[in-house]
Amino acid sequence: MTNLSIDSAYLAALVWSAAILSARLMVLHILSVRSRLMVSFFATNEDKSTISLFQIVKIMLLGFGPDFGGKPFVERIMRITRNCAENEPHFLVLALLCGLAGN
């Protein structure tokens, strides 16, 4: 059996990359929620029944001011967020495998 090892600098770069990509995904989710609240674009009809809770969350997320484009912007952010969540883990695994294969 082959002993797999990876350079510590390469591993550190992968960990930092994963951390940065995770932080970006969190920011995109927060922006998505903020934009949804600003334009009242709810995912389901049940979400409309908890308006008082949404007002509190809207204040917490600074949901006032410009809405950056309304419903089309919300849909664009949803697609970007979904794309990041679905694809970036695969690229991180691919980078890890390339690092293991290179040694």
Side-chain angles (χ1 to χ4, degrees), residues 39-84:
V39 297
S40 299
F41 181 61
F42 302 110
T44 63
N45 287 333
E46 290 83 19
D47 291 342
K48 295 177 184 176
S49 63
T50 57
I51 295 297
S52 60
L53 177 64
F54 284 130
Q55 295 303 324
I56 295 169
V57 174
K58 190 174 183 178
I59 292 170
M60 289 172 40
L61 294 176
L62 303 173
F64 47 86
D67 62 359
F68 303 119
K71 188 175 176 181
F73 181 75
V74 172
E75 292 170 350
R76 187 177 313 122
I77 288 294
M78 287 172 32
R79 288 192 304 269
I80 292 170
T81 305
R82 188 176 304 125
N83 185 33
C84 292

